[in-house]
Amino acid sequence: MSRGICLVIEDDEDIAGLISLILTREGFTVRSVRTASAALHQLRGLKPALITLDLGLPDLDGLQIAKDIRELSPAPLLMITARATASDQYNGMAAGASAYLNKPFRPAELRDAVTKLSPARSAT
């Protein structure tokens, strides 16, 4: 059974591919975009069950887009970023993140974070 749509917002093609592969195996239908503007455009028509967000996007700071996402969607927001200080994590959570995962990450770490944010739907 599908766990719903996950919007992956990541400008690095290899990382986006890895995240998409893991989330597809976890039961999500994945939509992937490379820019903040594309993400905001997609969100206007989607009702995602989960959103992943890189903070280092080419067109808009990830903290700003997190705030914009919060205005458009109540979906859990998982920040996946190389910004790894405690201050970065605090700022990410303050901007609307539901959880924060540092790059580089192990696939198991991503699966664990996703399970906590978006438990599998039962087949009832």
Side-chain angles (χ1 to χ4, degrees):
M1 172 166 237
S2 174
R3 292 174 74 174
I5 295 171
C6 178
L7 180 61
V8 174
I9 309 165
E10 170 63 61
D11 64 324
D12 183 291
E13 190 174 332
D14 292 334
I15 295 171
L18 175 61
I19 293 169
S20 296
L21 176 65
I22 292 167
L23 294 176
T24 298
R25 288 182 177 171
E26 290 297 306
F28 289 93
T29 300
V30 176
R31 300 268 177 97
S32 183
V33 295
R34 305 279 187 260
T35 65
S37 57
L40 294 174
H41 178 75
Q42 284 283 319
L43 276 173
R44 290 181 189 1
L46 286 179
K47 298 278 189 232
L50 177 68
I51 301 167
T52 70
L53 172 64
D54 177 23
L55 291 181
L57 298 173
D59 61 337
L60 186 64
D61 180 71
L63 294 175
Q64 180 57 52
I65 189 173
K67 293 173 186 175
D68 295 341
I69 287 169
R70 279 292 150 243
E71 292 178 12
L72 296 170
S73 176
L77 175 60
L78 173 59
M79 287 188 178
I80 303 175
T81 182
R83 297 183 193 174
T85 69
S87 175
D88 291 325
Q89 185 169 354
Y90 173 82
N91 290 334
M93 299 302 281
S98 306
Y100 200 93
L101 186 61
N102 292 322
K103 292 178 186 174
F105 61 88
R106 293 187 316 261
E109 292 174 310
L110 176 56
R111 284 191 298 269
D112 289 347
V114 167
T115 297
K116 289 175 185 168
L117 293 174
S118 181
R121 295 180 182 170
S122 66
T124 57

